[in-house]
Structure formats: structure tokens, C-alpha cells
Amino acid sequence: MEEEVEKAVFAYLRKKGFRLTEIALQEEQTRLSSDASSLSRSESDAAKYYDGYGKLRSWAYNSLDSYRHELLRVLYPVFIHCFMDLVAQGHMQEARTFFQTFREDHEMMHLRDLQTLEGILSPSHLEEMELARLWRQNKVKIRLCQYSYELLVQYLHKTQSLAMLGVINEHINFEVYPGQPASMSDDSEAVSLIGTSQDLAREINQKELHWGLLEDSVEERMEKTLSESDKTEVDGNKEADTEDNNKKKTDGNKHSTAVNNKKKKDKVVGATGKTIRSESSMVSVPPRVKPELTLPQFPPEVEQSILEDLRNRVQLNSLALPSVSFYTFLNTHNGLNCSTISHDGSLVAGGFSDSSVKIWDMAKIGQPGRASNPQGENGSMQGMHSLASDEAKRPYSLLQGHSGPVYSVSFSPFADFLLSSSSDNTIRLWSTRLNANLVSYKGHNFPVWDAQFSPMGHYFATASHDRTARLWSVERIQPLRVMAGHLSDVDCVQWHPNCNYIATGSSDKTVRLWDVQTGNCARLFIGHRSMVLSLAISPDGRFMASGDEDGTIMLWDLSTGRSVSPIIGHSSCVWTLAFSCEGTLLASGSADCMVKLWDITSSMKALKTDDSKSGPASRLRLLKALPTKSTPVYTLRFSRRNLLFAAGALSAGS
Amino acid sequence: MSIVPKETIEVIAQSIGIPNLSPDVALALAPDVEYRLREITQEAIKCMRHSKRTVLTADDVDSALNLRNIEPIYGFASSDPLKFKRAIGHKDLFYLDDREVDFKEVIDAPLPKAPLDTAVVTHWLAIEGVQPAIPENPPIEAIVAPPDGKKMDHGKDDSLPIDLKLPIKHVLSRELQMYFDKIGELILGRADTPLFKDALLSLAKDSGLHPLVPYFSYFIADEVSRNLNNLPILFALMRVVKSLLSNPHIHIEPYLHQMMPSIITCLVAKRVGHQISDNHWAIRDFASKIVASICRRYGHVYHNLQSRLTKTLIHAFLDPSKALTQHYGAIQGLSALGPSVVRLLILPNLETYMQLLDPEMQLDKQKNELKRKEAWRVYGSLLLAGGSCLYDRLRLFPGLLSPPDILPWKTNKKIALTNLPNNKRKASSRLTAHQPPTKKLAVDPTGTNSQFPSTDGPVTSSSSGSNPNHHHSHNSSNNNSSSTGNITNANANINNVSGSGAHGQRVAVSNVLRQAWKEDLDAGHLLSSLHGLFGEGIFSFIQPAEMHCFI
């Protein structure tokens, strides 16, 4: 009798589409029934979870082909919550067996999480462990198509497995959409494990992002002068109307409009840029934006050298690959933690686990018997080097000052300064001319994993174990901005070329983009499956590449916040990424002793053609894999002339 | 339940001075200990990643403990990963091998060498996307060059030889220079030492020798032209060539054009070494093998390689003014290129050539013993060439050997061969078709045949079976040369000569030749006419046992 009424009620609710009410009713029912059986519960509970999950699993695996992948999505959260419920109820032994039995289903997708959750051994750990807390406190949201949802509800009713029903009701929010089930490839977006973060990401990614390049930069001025001289040339001989000329002409057009509109808002500039892009099919011109920070001016001689470099730049594309110069560190005794290369490749710096920083001047290497201090600045030396004779013997300059392993080093754009960050919670600024420490920046409370100079110098950003990224200016010992929001260590940081944003990669497997002016998170990128180790942003400011611990490289569109193409790029950690100067190539360096070159233009083209419908992600094309001789690649850097520099420490083992 | 059993907790408790820990406490502590362990491991892994390593070290664990404000565990610091040993009798129990160290020993021991200081070296990992084969880069095979990449490579070699060579010249390191000098010295001075063997091995195996290839090719060309009279040096040079060719890390194609002339020189030079004292035949044989292997390996890259080579050789072969030694080299070179080359280039000219060679071989016509010997050599090589060609044919068409036990047949066919008009017809018709006519023809020549009694049934049968396919090539020369009678005369002549010559020379000729000769004698009785020449070859190339002594 009662059952019949219930059925009728459910049927009514379903017909009217009162989904939430339906779920609430179910919830109430389960609560009632569980109350009723609460006495006998404790004993058979564990078995119930085990059986219930096992049945649900086999049912999901045996379901209809086209709906199976959707139903399988439900399994993982149910699995985790069953496990946690068991732990919470104190069935430790059963929880373990349960976990071990079904664990391998999810290993492929969620290995890292499983490894963490495996450590939960007592109810108190549920409170303590962050990941577990997140799971317990937030609901999982799963997108299912109408029919899959009905199938699931039917199954749960038919089997009367209350344990499963309880878990699903309590922890999963279904987002039912009409029509056919989505394809497999959308999996990553369909399940948002931590309910709120996906919403957050969506919300954050709605924000407007000015990803364009800085106006009035050296490059722009260079192009302008070029286009002016070009115009007269083009008038002279229209015969030699190559692509190159075409490009320059359109650039010229663009600049004239840009100059006219300079007073108007950035957005307008962006719009004109876009219209011009649609006119000239060949070249995409990034919009120009104003700097939000007061940026330093380059001295004229520096500007001259940049212009010189730009003029001599080699055009790279899928057919013209770069030359790679490799700097190998020898005899590091496993002590090299990080390295960096200056823009012109003349200076190479390494940070060591013995707290030292060493700088090699490549121009002087191979010159036997060089003077003790070629700059002749012995007089102004600041006490860091007590033994001048020692200095004479060394082919490098030794910078000592940190009191813990040095985790990152970064040259300023003209290599006159070097930043180093260390596990002693400080960041130090060194002068490469004086070979001396200038400033020690204290502010982080935990080891500083990464420090990066801005592309214009003067400012720098740091990432730390204290879960914050900070923005500093070299002349202040206090940070200017603190970017908080990551749920775990911030492992790497990278500047946007227009200096208005910084990107951070974290152990919480997300990448965030921060607005330096406001200190707010401007983008949240979810998709990595392990710790993000390296970041690079394309020179046109539109795309970002991120590499993780598993060897996956993901390419993101900053403007939409979507992933363009995930690839399994390497078999081990991707330590470093670099875009070529025109943004046509991406170079990645990894612990598997490879430098790989990826074609960006082809995937961009694919992106442009289906810009509107944002179809399945196109793949990055591997152009070339360059193996090294048992030397993991720590650093990659394209010079302004598009020569690729790479650095790594020879690992003696193999 | 957990990976830390409660017994472990009890043991640890005892070790820090808590003798009677209640089992409940131990049980409660065990999961927490495991949790803490995992936590520290997680942090340690973070530290490991930021130290850009993939192997966890004690330092990482210390850093992780530091992060958590826990005093690090002293005494395990080491820059290398720790080496664990498996406890005997336990599957997953490992321990650190920690030896007891005697202080006295440590103090008395001499100071260890100071570790080398960190240094940075540079090299080109890639030049315009192509990895140069230098010792700093991994061997080329590891790259698994895709076909299109390879093509690009070649394109570059062809179009920009100057651009490519210039950096190589500058790059040549001191070590490579020393290596080159040393090899050069070995070749010129001490080619018979075991060291030279090692050097050859190194040339054949080592990667990173690519920068030296142009120097070597120049060196070889230079030295070959200078040392034509010095056989050991020539031999050493050829062995170097062989080693370089077999080195998988070297792209030798661009330099082949420099090396080929030297090798061909060794093959067909008029005088190599001292004519009398040195065994210059051996180097010709050796060079012919090298040439053949080059053609096999690079024929597809340089499609005109083989055609140019064969042109050169056939010129040497057909020029009567050239010395017999040159002829020998040319024949060897051609025959090394394979049976088809022999069939197409040597066999058509064999007839005329034999007429030329014939007087040279006869004791009465050629008084110079050396010349005569040479002639026999040439004859031997021709025999070998023809025979191997024949053998190849036989292998290709095993059906030819099918009727070995029908005795009357063989005679028929052999005679058919003598008869030119029949031959012609036979050549035009295929194997299956020609059998009835030969049978018919068998009637009249039996008489002639009986004059040369067949010693060995099966052998003749097989030889006759193989004859037809020989014949079409043969035919062409026969047709335009002269009338039937003429040829038979000539052949008879040759056969006679060979018989008598064999007796006269038997002692003098080398082993191989003698072997061949003996067979010729055996076979000679039955083959009086033109194919007698081949008959002996056929004979030796059909019996597997004898075949070995030729190949």
C-alpha cells in the first residue's frame, strides 16, 4: 500500500520534472529506512557498501554502450565516498579491503588522489587531510544526459541498495541535460570532483581578459619603422609582393589605426585589431593593451640591441626548426636544482642544493688564463668573496648567501641582475656585474619554489610552499601583492608578456592567472592530473602551455579559459617549456632527457576554423624530438634571435 | 591493516625507553604513524621535484621534515640515492647497508681525491633541427629518423655542402685531431700490429667520428695514389674504408664520390704492389667486395652509382690494350656485383674475350710465365663469374634440375647446344616449350657425343638441364660472331689447350685454381665444345660440396 503511494508520488514528480523534490524525497526515505535499521546497521554496513558498490559497478560496466561512459563517471565519487563512509564509521579493515578491491578501476584517471586518500586510516584523518575535507564538504557535480540519469535512478530503485542511494544523494549533484550523451572527450569537464571549484572556474573565467600585448613596445616601434620604410618600397615594386611584404603592410595599416585610436579604450583597439585580422587572413595581430604597472623604460643602448636582435631574428616554423645550443652542467653531484640562461645566452646560472648560486660567463669559457676579475671591480667588491685567489681559479662566479637549497634562479631581461629563491624562505637579488648580493626579500613563510623577473625587469613574481604567489618590485623589501587562492603549494610562476598578469601552477593540479593590478584571480584552468611544474605563455599573449609531473603538456586559450589540446608529451616530468619568438613553436624539456619541438601554428589554425563551435581539441603536432645523452633538460630559452638554449645536468648514473 | 603493524610501534617504543606500551595505544598509534609517514613522503616528493630529480633522496626527506618544523634525522645525508638491500627470507623487507667503519682505517687512509668542480660545457644539440653526430649527442639510431626527416637531411647535404662543412671544420676538436693523426700513423706504419685491429674496430663502431669522414676520405684518396706500389698500405687503407662503411653512426654517402675512385683504383690498377712478389690478387678481390657492398647499400641513394661503376669496369674489361691484371680486377668487380650483372655484361662478351685470352694461356704462345699465370687467373675468375651466375640461375629456376635421372636426355640437350640454329630456337622459346624439339634433335649428334664418354651421369644431366638459360645470352654473341664450324673449332681448340695447359701448370697455380682445374679436367673429357668452358663451371656450381670452394 505504502509503496504504491510512493511510486505514484515519484511518478508524478518525475512527470512534472521536480527533480530536486524527488531527490529530497528519496533522501528522506533513505534516512527513515536507515533510522529504522540503525541498530543492525553497524555490523552489516560494511558488507552493504561493498556489495552495493560492487553491484553498481558491474551494472555500470554492463550498461548500454552509448551511456556507459556517463554512468562510469558516477562510480568514482561513489567509490571515494563509500570508502570515507566506511572510515568514518570506524570499519578500518573493511575500508582497506574495499579500497584495494576497487582501486584499480580509477587508477588511470586519479592515481595521485588515490595515493593521497590511501593514507586515510582513521576518522580523524578525514578531518585533517585537505583533500578528504574537500570531498566531504563539497558535492560532486556530474553532467548526465536525461536517459543516463533515468537509468541510474531506475537501477537504484530496483535494487534498493540504500547505501549507494544514500551516498549518491548525499554527495552528488546531477546536472541533467536533454539529448544525446556527450562524447567521451568531454569527460574532464563533465565531472567536477570538487563541486565548487568548477563553478568557481566557470565564474572566474567569465571575466574579461586583456591578453593583448603592450602598446608602444620596442617590437611595435620596430615594426612601425619597418612598415614605413616598406610602404615606399612597396610602391616602387609591386612585383615583389611576397607574403612578407603583405604582412608588413597589414601591420602598417594596423599601426596607423592603432595610433589613431590610442586615446580610446583598449577594447576598441582590440576590436580594430580583430577586424584587421579578419581582413588579412594570413597574419593575426594581437590587440594592444596599456600596462597596469608603471614599467621602466629601457635605456637607448639596450633598445638598440633589442632592435638589432629583432632584425636578425630567424623565422621559425614547422619547416625551419631552430638550432639548439645545449649547456651541460658537469660534476654537479646531484646538487643542481635549477638553472637559467640569459636572453643572449652569454650567462648561465645554476642554483645548487648547497645554497650556492654559480654564474658562468660563456664568453669567457675557453679563454685560458683569464684575468682574476675581468671587470676590474675588485675595489667595489662587497665582501662576498674573501679569497680573490680562489676566485681566479674558478671559471664561474660563486654567489653565496642563501642558507638552504636554491630552488630557482632568474635573470633580469638584460642579465644585469639575478634573482634566486631558496628554501630559507628568502629571495635574493644579485648583481651580475658586482657578483654581490644586493637585497634579500623576506615575506614568504615557507620555501620559495620559484621566482621570475618580469619581461620588462624591475618587477618579479614568486611562488612558495605557503600557497601564495607574490609580486614584488626590486626596490621594496615588502611584496606589492599577495595572490592567495591555490589549495596547495604554488610550484611555478610565469609572467604574461604584457606584464599585466602572472600565471601560477600549483600542486593542486590547477593553473591560475592573476591580475597584477587587483591581485585577483583572472583565470582558473583545471585539467592537469598532477602537480604543474612548468609554464610558458606565447609571445602574442593569447596561449599558455603548462607541463606537469606525468609528462602531459596542456595548451590553454587565455581568452576563453579552455584547454586547446592536452598531449602526453613526455614520459616524465616536464621541467621547462618555451615558446619561440613568433609563437610558432613550443619547446619542451623533460626529465626523460628529451627536448621536443611542437608545432603550434597548426593547432591554432584548427582552433581558428572552428572558433565558433569549439569542437574536439586538436592535437599538438610533434615536429622533432631531440634526445640528449642522459641529460635531463632543466631550462629552455629562445633568444631574441630565435636560437634555442637548453641547459641540464649530466646525470652520472647511466 | 595498515602498512605499519602495531608490533613496529611496540619495538619503536621500547627503543626510546617505553618498555610497556599497552597494545591499545600501539594499535591506535599505528594508523597515525602511517598517515604521518605519508604526509612527510608527500612533502619530500615536492622537494624532490623542485630539485629537478626523479629519485627521492635522504636530503628530500630532511627538507620535508624541515618544512613541518620537525628536526631532521641526521646521519643519512648523501647526495646519491641510498642503496637498499633485501633482507634475506623476506619479500618486501629492505634495509640500508650500513657498514661499521673503523676510525683508525679512516684516519690512516690517504685523502680521497677532491671531487671535480662543477663546470658547464656547450655543444650543439641540433643545428636547424638536425642533430649533428658528435660525441655529445646520443647515437643517431636512438633518434629513429622518420623518412621525411632523412630526406631533408640529404637535401641539405646536396644543396649546401659548403655551409655544412664549414662548421664541421671549426668544430673538429683536439681529441678528434689526435685520433685522426693516430689512425693515419697506424695505417702508414704499423698496419700489422694488433693495435691497428683495435683501430679498425673503433672506426667501425664509434659514434662521433662523423666530423673526421671528409678528412679520412681525402687521406685515403691521397695515400692510395701515392702508395700504389706498397701493398700493405693499400690493404690497410681498404680495411679502413671497410670499417668506415660499416660504422652505423656515419653518414658516408656525401663522401662516397671521393672514396670510390680510390677503391676502383685498387681494383683495376695496372700495377698494384710489386707484380711478382706481392699477392695483388687478394687486394683486388677485397676491393671488389667493398665496391659491391657499397653498391648494395647506397645504390638506392645514388641511383647512377652502379651504372657508372659498371661502365668503368666494362671499359677496363673490353679494352684489349689493358693488362690482364686489369681485366682480372674488372671481372672480379663485375662478378661481385651479382650474377645478373655477370649475365648481362660478361657473358655476351665472353666469346670474343676467350679468343683474346686463349693465346695468352698457352704455354707455347706465351713464353712469359708471369703473363701466362695472369691469364690463368683471369680465366679462373671468368669461370667463377660464369659459374656463380649459373648457380644463381639454377637456384632461381630449380625446375631446371628436375630430370636428373633420365639419362638419354642430357646428351640430347648438350648436343642441342652445339647446334646453333637449335639454340636460337631454344632461346626464343621458353623452357617448357623447348623440350620436344631437343628430343627430336637428339638423334644425329649422339655420334659426336659418344666420343666424349660421360664419366658421371647425374652431373652431366644437371649441366645439360641448366644450359638452356645460359644460352640466350650466349647466343647473341654467337650469332653475330661467325659460322658454326668456326666456333666449334675454336672451342675445341680451347678445350685442348685447357687440357694440356692444366698438365703443365698444375703445380704452379694456386690452390683454388687447382681445385677448379681438377674439376675442369674431369669435366673436360665430356665437354669438348663451346659449353665445355661452362660445363666445368656448371659442374662445380651444381654440386653443393664443390660449390663451397668457389664461393
Side-chain angles (χ1 to χ4, degrees):
Chain A
M1 171 68 187
E2 239 180 53
E3 270 177 35
E4 268 178 34
V5 172
E6 250 172 50
K7 253 183 206 163
V9 170
F10 271 118
Y12 173 77
L13 287 176
R14 214 169 299 149
K15 207 168 84 186
K16 291 284 179 186
F18 293 144
R19 200 168 45 78
L20 287 176
T21 325
E22 190 188 356
I23 290 168
L25 190 63
Q26 281 172 3
E27 222 164 353
E28 204 161 355
Q29 268 183 339
T30 50
R31 205 176 304 137
L32 282 174
S33 57
S34 64
D35 281 348
S37 62
S38 61
L39 287 176
S40 62
R41 170 178 169 160
S42 54
E43 281 309 303
S44 60
D45 226 21
K48 238 192 287 175
Y49 278 108
Y50 195 93
D51 288 351
Y53 181 76
K55 277 183 192 150
L56 180 67
R57 180 172 166 272
S58 56
W59 171 76
Y61 274 105
N62 290 324
S63 55
L64 295 171
D65 276 347
S66 51
Y67 302 98
R68 187 184 298 149
H69 68 271
E70 289 207 327
L71 294 170
L72 290 180
R73 285 174 198 162
V74 181
L75 289 181
Y76 179 60
V78 173
F79 168 73
I80 296 294
H81 281 290
C82 285
F83 171 65
M84 287 186 182
D85 281 355
L86 286 170
V87 172
Q89 289 161 22
H91 302 291
M92 300 312 302
Q93 189 63 57
E94 288 84 352
R96 262 298 157 101
T97 14
F98 176 79
F99 196 82
Q100 292 308 332
T101 317
F102 297 112
R103 160 190 178 130
E104 66 182 285
D105 292 350
H106 311 290
E107 256 171 8
M108 198 181 82
M109 296 281 283
H110 311 282
L111 185 63
R112 310 269 160 186
D113 281 347
L114 289 178
Q115 280 169 351
T116 320
L117 291 170
E118 205 175 6
I120 300 174
L121 295 163
S122 77
S124 64
H125 293 159
L126 287 178
E127 294 302 310
E128 200 165 335
M129 187 186 285
E130 193 134 7
L131 186 64
R133 221 164 50 220
L134 278 171
W135 273 97
R136 287 313 250 186
Q137 285 166 2
N138 298 307
K139 283 201 166 191
V140 178
K141 187 190 269 174
I142 298 181
R143 269 167 68 81
L144 286 183
C145 80
Q146 185 82 42
Y147 188 67
S148 303
Y149 180 69
E150 277 171 28
L151 279 178
L152 182 67
V153 172
Q154 270 172 20
Y155 167 77
L156 290 174
H157 276 266
K158 207 165 61 197
T159 53
Q160 291 290 315
S161 69
L162 296 174
M164 291 306 109
L165 197 62
V167 168
I168 289 171
N169 281 333
E170 205 175 329
H171 299 291
I172 299 177
N173 270 346
F174 288 106
E175 193 182 315
V176 180
Y177 62 92
Q180 287 301 302
S183 63
M184 297 276 271
S185 57
D186 298 343
D187 251 10
S188 57
E189 285 177 24
V191 185
S192 41
L193 295 179
I194 296 150
T196 50
S197 78
Q198 193 76 37
D199 286 338
L200 189 71
R202 199 166 298 152
E203 193 186 309
I204 288 172
N205 293 349
Q206 297 292 320
K207 287 182 193 168
E208 196 183 353
L209 191 82
H210 303 295
W211 52 269
L213 294 183
L214 282 184
E215 56 187 31
D216 203 32
S217 64
V218 181
E219 285 91 342
E220 197 187 17
R221 264 177 277 157
M222 151 110 179
E223 278 168 14
K224 218 183 291 173
T225 49
L226 260 184
S227 63
E228 270 158 21
S229 63
D230 227 48
K231 259 178 206 162
T232 55
E233 251 174 59
V234 168
D235 289 341
N237 55 338
K238 274 179 181 163
E239 294 287 71
D241 197 24
T242 55
E243 271 186 20
D244 208 8
N245 274 339
N246 249 337
K247 177 189 167 204
K248 280 165 189 165
K249 231 199 302 188
T250 50
D251 278 1
N253 289 339
K254 191 235 139 220
H255 287 305
S256 53
T257 51
V259 171
N260 292 340
N261 294 344
K262 223 172 187 175
K263 298 287 177 311
K264 295 180 186 175
K265 277 184 184 173
D266 302 336
K267 227 177 133 188
V268 182
V269 179
T272 51
K274 251 172 218 160
T275 51
I276 283 160
R277 179 169 56 190
S278 58
E279 282 165 22
S280 61
S281 58
M282 287 306 293
V283 203
S284 69
V285 181
R288 299 281 166 178
V289 296
K290 281 202 171 88
E292 288 175 12
L293 298 169
T294 2
L295 291 171
Q297 286 291 317
F298 289 139
E301 68 269 16
V302 165
E303 214 161 276
Q304 276 307 311
S305 83
I306 297 181
L307 285 174
E308 179 74 13
D309 284 343
L310 291 180
R311 249 175 254 128
N312 289 319
R313 177 178 292 175
V314 184
Q315 295 291 318
L316 295 181
N317 52 48
S318 54
L319 295 173
L321 297 176
S323 297
V324 188
S325 175
F326 202 96
Y327 298 115
T328 313
F329 288 81
L330 304 175
N331 309 318
T332 55
H333 310 289
N334 274 334
L336 185 72
N337 285 352
C338 55
S339 64
T340 188
I341 304 163
S342 66
H343 257 292
D344 56 356
S346 63
L347 293 182
V348 183
F352 290 80
S353 56
D354 64 0
S355 316
S356 64
V357 175
K358 294 170 187 172
I359 304 178
W360 282 262
D361 190 337
M362 299 320 287
K364 286 178 205 130
I365 281 181
Q367 289 176 12
R370 69 191 181 88
S372 63
N373 200 329
Q375 303 290 333
E377 275 156 335
N378 282 321
S380 60
M381 289 259 289
Q382 292 189 356
M384 278 302 155
H385 310 285
S386 47
L387 293 170
S389 61
D390 221 28
E391 168 79 357
K393 265 183 261 167
R394 270 190 233 116
Y396 53 83
S397 5
L398 178 68
L399 308 176
Q400 282 175 319
H402 280 295
S403 60
V406 179
Y407 286 124
S408 81
V409 279
S410 169
F411 277 112
S412 69
F414 298 101
D416 36 5
F417 298 109
L418 177 77
L419 270 181
S420 63
S421 74
S422 157
S423 88
D424 64 5
N425 310 350
T426 64
I427 302 109
R428 282 175 189 267
L429 182 74
W430 311 81
S431 163
T432 53
R433 300 222 177 94
L434 304 173
N435 286 334
N437 188 205
L438 302 178
V439 197
S440 166
Y441 302 95
K442 289 168 188 159
H444 282 294
N445 304 321
F446 277 105
V448 187
W449 295 134
D450 198 7
Q452 290 293 331
F453 252 114
S454 88
M456 306 293 283
H458 193 70
Y459 298 97
F460 63 93
T462 57
S464 165
H465 178 70
D466 65 12
R467 301 181 184 187
T468 63
R470 295 180 194 218
L471 178 77
W472 312 68
S473 109
V474 287
E475 55 193 17
R476 284 161 200 269
I477 55 164
Q478 293 296 321
L480 304 176
R481 297 279 182 280
V482 178
M483 280 82 165
H486 276 298
L487 303 171
S488 185
D489 302 32
V490 185
D491 292 301
C492 52
V493 65
Q494 194 65 54
W495 283 82
H496 192 276
N498 68 14
C499 295
N500 291 340
Y501 299 94
I502 59 171
T504 55
S506 161
S507 290
D508 67 10
K509 306 174 187 93
T510 62
V511 178
R512 282 172 188 254
L513 194 71
W514 308 85
D515 189 325
V516 292
Q517 188 55 47
T518 60
N520 288 334
C521 182
R523 286 286 179 274
L524 175 54
F525 304 96
I526 300 172
H528 275 292
R529 287 187 188 147
S530 57
M531 171 177 176
V532 181
L533 289 170
S534 51
L535 289 169
I537 298 180
S538 70
D540 66 0
R542 186 162 175 204
F543 296 99
M544 176 172 68
S546 57
D548 72 13
E549 219 179 349
D550 295 337
T552 312
I553 299 169
M554 298 190 94
L555 198 63
W556 309 91
D557 186 337
L558 291 183
S559 52
T560 60
R562 280 172 169 276
S563 156
V564 180
S565 58
I567 36 166
I568 308 296
H570 289 276
S571 57
S572 187
C573 308
V574 182
W575 296 133
T576 175
L577 292 164
F579 276 99
S580 72
C581 292
E582 316 94 325
T584 47
L585 298 182
L586 174 70
S588 61
S590 151
D592 63 9
C593 303
M594 285 270 204
V595 175
K596 287 190 175 176
L597 298 171
W598 307 89
D599 189 4
I600 295 295
T601 32
S602 64
S603 49
M604 295 304 125
K605 238 174 244 163
L607 191 80
K608 256 164 220 162
T609 51
D610 51 26
D611 230 349
S612 51
K613 65 180 178 94
S614 74
S618 53
R619 302 270 149 172
L620 279 186
R621 194 157 65 92
L622 176 66
L623 288 176
K624 191 91 185 170
L626 304 167
T628 66
K629 217 172 185 178
S630 59
T631 311
V633 185
Y634 288 1
T635 311
L636 287 170
R637 148 95 74 191
F638 274 98
S639 78
R640 290 198 183 85
R641 300 187 184 194
N642 260 341
L643 179 64
L644 181 58
F645 295 110
L650 184 73
S651 56
S654 39
Chain B
M1 164 181 122
S2 69
I3 55 168
V4 180
K6 76 177 194 330
E7 289 78 13
T8 309
I9 305 296
E10 281 163 4
V11 170
I12 293 168
Q14 277 167 22
S15 73
I16 57 169
I18 306 169
N20 42 5
L21 193 76
S22 85
D24 290 344
V25 174
L27 204 59
L29 272 177
D32 204 49
V33 167
E34 187 183 338
Y35 179 77
R36 301 295 156 203
L37 275 178
R38 284 174 184 276
E39 198 180 5
I40 293 297
T41 315
Q42 177 194 312
E43 299 299 319
I45 288 172
K46 275 181 196 164
C47 291
M48 171 184 83
R49 293 291 181 222
H50 285 288
S51 300
K52 303 247 183 343
R53 270 183 279 112
T54 45
V55 178
L56 200 68
T57 64
D59 285 339
D60 295 324
V61 179
D62 280 350
S63 311
L65 291 170
N66 261 330
L67 279 181
R68 295 274 147 177
N69 259 335
I70 306 168
E71 195 167 352
I73 303 165
Y74 299 106
F76 294 96
S78 143
S79 59
D80 297 320
L82 299 171
K83 288 185 178 64
F84 289 92
K85 279 192 166 178
R86 190 191 295 271
I88 298 159
H90 295 270
K91 210 169 59 169
D92 349 291
L93 184 60
F94 294 86
Y95 67 98
L96 211 56
D97 190 25
D98 203 2
R99 287 185 301 113
E100 266 182 38
V101 181
D102 192 355
F103 260 126
K104 205 164 170 305
E105 255 175 50
V106 176
I107 292 164
D108 290 347
L111 282 175
K113 249 201 245 167
L116 291 170
D117 202 0
T118 313
V120 175
V121 294
T122 57
H123 73 271
W124 288 106
L125 182 66
I127 295 168
E128 291 174 9
V130 181
Q131 279 196 295
I134 48 176
E136 289 88 347
N137 283 334
I140 301 167
E141 308 148 299
I143 307 168
V144 191
D148 56 337
K150 210 171 178 182
K151 218 175 274 167
M152 225 164 65
D153 209 357
H154 291 303
K156 199 169 279 166
D157 283 351
D158 292 343
S159 59
L160 302 163
I162 300 154
D163 278 12
L164 208 77
K165 266 179 198 162
L166 276 176
I168 285 169
K169 240 177 201 166
H170 294 300
V171 153
L172 194 62
S173 66
R174 188 177 294 267
E175 289 85 354
L176 281 176
Q177 272 179 35
M178 282 172 62
Y179 183 87
F180 178 73
D181 292 345
K182 198 87 186 162
I183 296 274
E185 188 190 314
L186 276 174
I187 293 171
L188 296 182
R190 296 180 287 154
D192 46 349
T193 56
L195 193 60
F196 183 63
K197 268 185 195 146
D198 295 338
L200 287 177
L201 208 63
S202 148
L203 283 171
K205 291 253 171 71
D206 285 358
S207 60
L209 292 181
H210 196 250
L212 285 178
V213 174
Y215 296 91
F216 272 124
S217 66
Y218 180 77
F219 178 82
I220 288 162
D222 205 33
E223 293 299 325
V224 163
S225 60
R226 200 182 304 163
N227 290 302
L228 264 182
N229 288 327
N230 192 334
L231 196 67
I233 287 185
L234 284 181
F235 238 113
L237 286 166
M238 286 302 109
R239 285 165 78 182
V240 167
V241 170
K242 191 158 176 267
S243 296
L244 287 174
L245 283 169
S246 61
N247 191 324
H249 310 293
I250 290 180
H251 277 293
I252 209 158
E253 292 100 306
Y255 307 101
L256 277 181
H257 67 97
Q258 276 183 352
M259 290 197 175
M260 281 306 270
S262 332
I263 308 170
I264 296 176
T265 303
C266 285
L267 184 62
V268 294
K270 192 172 176 193
R271 287 168 57 85
V272 179
H274 294 291
Q275 206 74 358
I276 307 163
S277 58
D278 287 333
N279 184 7
H280 62 98
W281 308 106
I283 194 158
R284 292 180 200 274
D285 291 349
F286 191 62
S288 74
K289 275 188 197 121
I290 294 177
V291 163
S293 74
I294 289 175
C295 280
R296 265 198 302 280
R297 256 179 71 188
Y298 303 104
H300 62 282
V301 184
Y302 285 131
H303 43 84
N304 61 347
L305 180 70
Q306 181 155 349
S307 57
R308 272 164 59 187
L309 175 68
T310 48
K311 216 164 124 193
T312 315
L313 292 177
I314 202 80
H315 267 295
F317 174 50
L318 290 183
D319 190 346
S321 62
K322 292 257 160 63
L324 280 170
T325 47
Q326 284 168 292
H327 288 165
Y328 175 83
I331 294 163
Q332 281 294 342
L334 287 170
S335 63
L337 289 174
S340 56
V341 174
V342 174
R343 190 160 51 82
L344 289 174
L345 296 175
I346 297 189
L347 294 187
N349 302 309
L350 193 63
E351 197 52 51
T352 39
Y353 186 78
M354 283 317 270
Q355 287 170 16
L356 191 83
L357 187 65
D358 175 37
E360 295 288 324
M361 294 196 296
Q362 289 178 36
L363 189 61
D364 45 340
K365 287 191 183 163
Q366 178 57 264
K367 296 295 182 213
N368 188 339
E369 195 194 352
L370 189 72
K371 281 271 171 65
R372 209 165 55 236
K373 235 195 254 179
E374 283 175 3
W376 280 111
R377 271 281 190 179
V378 174
Y379 178 76
S381 72
L382 273 175
L383 203 62
L384 179 59
S388 55
C389 168
L390 178 67
Y391 172 73
D392 177 69
R393 288 271 102 186
L394 281 179
R395 218 185 31 180
L396 279 177
F397 306 106
L400 293 175
L401 277 173
S402 55
D405 33 16
I406 310 165
L407 259 166
W409 263 58
K410 337 145 193 172
T411 44
N412 294 349
K413 253 191 222 160
K414 202 190 298 157
I415 290 135
L417 289 174
T418 45
N419 212 319
L420 262 182
N422 288 335
N423 288 347
K424 211 169 180 183
R425 210 185 307 161
K426 213 188 296 167
S428 58
S429 59
R430 280 324 300 172
L431 290 171
T432 45
H434 80 245
Q435 283 174 1
T438 40
K439 215 168 193 172
K440 213 165 48 183
L441 282 162
V443 195
D444 70 328
T446 29
T448 33
N449 208 32
S450 61
Q451 289 169 356
F452 313 97
S454 61
T455 46
D456 194 345
V459 172
T460 17
S461 80
S462 52
S463 71
S464 61
S466 56
N467 267 338
N469 59 52
H470 236 288
H471 238 264
H472 43 162
S473 59
H474 207 114
N475 237 347
S476 55
S477 63
N478 277 356
N479 277 339
N480 34 20
S481 61
S482 54
S483 70
T484 336
N486 234 343
I487 292 164
T488 33
N489 277 341
N491 284 325
N493 208 358
I494 289 167
N495 223 353
N496 288 338
V497 169
S498 61
S500 61
H503 292 297
Q505 300 280 331
R506 189 170 291 182
V507 196
V509 287
S510 74
N511 250 350
V512 179
L513 200 61
R514 197 179 301 144
Q515 178 73 24
W517 215 204
K518 211 176 85 199
E519 256 126 49
D520 195 15
L521 261 187
D522 295 344
H525 294 297
L526 36 135
L527 308 168
S528 64
S529 55
L530 161 69
H531 22 285
L533 190 88
F534 297 117
E536 155 269 337
I538 287 151
F539 173 77
S540 58
F541 283 97
I542 285 155
Q543 293 278 19
E546 277 122 338
M547 190 181 74
H548 288 308
C549 64
F550 278 88
I551 296 173

